[in-house]
Amino acid sequence: MPLNIIQGDITTLKVDAIVNAANEDLAMGGGVCGAIFAAAGKEELKTACAGLGPCKVGHAVMTPGFKLPAKHVIHAVGPIWRGGKHQEEELLRQAYLSSLQLAEGAGLASLAFPLISSGIYGYPKDEALLVAVTAIGDFLKESEMQVTLVIYDRKSFSLEPTMVYTLQ
Ligand code: ADP
């Protein structure tokens, strides 16, 4: 399946699961995490997360989506950028893979990702995009899942014209 890249707000997507760029405590944070908690219902999502954390960097857990149009939220913990020599790339790739494997194992057909670690966690944006595209792309060689990568602030990224993408 091809990977779709779109610009938009991930909380509005009606898919089987959206991925949250979570922290290890699965606590409500800022950025996309704050937006997902607010749209899902803060109390419901906080309670669901409380029983599941902490979650290690590179790993992912799933909760219901509550008030979101998406049925589930997969909380994936990306690495904090510390200069690039602390296994950041491997850990970021692992955060994508853990989410994809969790979704596939649960029988989900559609999944949407934000660009994990590319905001508050400081991963350089174009490098974060490259890791996302290659990690998801490799997985999709062997999978029928419909995966969307959601770019929020498109102007911060140099999107290659050769990439398959649709802007909404
Ligand atoms: P992290 O802490 O993993 O860096 P952030 O939430 O700070 O997570 O940022 C991850 C990416 O999500 C950033 O590129 C940011 O622009 C983007 N983002 C923020 N809000 C949304 C949203 N509502 N939908 C999709 N992406 C978003």
Side-chain angles (χ1 to χ4, degrees):
M1 292 288 281
L3 164 65
N4 283 316
I5 301 179
I6 66 167
Q7 180 173 32
D9 175 356
I10 201 166
T11 62
T12 65
L13 296 189
K14 197 170 180 215
V15 285
D16 286 345
I18 60 170
V19 175
N20 177 23
N23 50 63
E24 285 180 87
D25 295 329
L26 303 180
M28 181 174 172
V32 71
C33 181
I36 290 173
F37 271 74
K42 284 180 197 169
E43 293 315 316
E44 290 99 316
L45 201 48
K46 272 185 191 168
T47 306
C49 284
L52 296 173
C55 179
K56 287 188 187 146
V57 179
H59 292 242
V61 295
M62 186 156 69
T63 65
F66 299 105
K67 297 193 187 88
L68 285 165
K71 290 184 205 143
H72 306 275
V73 179
I74 291 179
H75 305 263
V77 184
I80 295 173
W81 179 260
R82 294 193 289 144
K85 294 196 176 128
H86 296 83
Q87 295 181 298
E88 289 96 330
E89 183 178 341
E90 182 53 35
L91 290 167
L92 183 56
R93 190 174 301 278
Q94 199 52 51
Y96 282 98
L97 260 187
S98 300
S99 307
L100 290 159
Q101 286 164 350
L102 185 58
E104 190 159 76
L108 307 189
S110 56
L111 181 62
F113 282 97
L115 274 164
I116 300 169
S117 290
S118 72
I120 297 161
Y121 276 10
Y123 207 107
K125 296 212 180 227
D126 281 334
E127 292 176 35
L129 174 64
L130 188 63
V131 173
V133 169
T134 52
I136 300 168
D138 284 348
F139 185 87
L140 288 180
K141 286 178 192 157
E142 312 273 330
S143 168
E144 291 300 302
M145 215 171 354
Q146 199 186 313
V147 182
T148 304
L149 190 56
V150 183
I151 313 273
Y152 193 60
D153 48 339
R154 189 184 168 205
K155 290 201 181 101
S156 308
F157 298 89
S158 358
L159 282 165
E160 291 289 332
T162 48
M163 281 161 67
V164 184
Y165 66 92
T166 350
L167 296 178
Q168 44 180 26

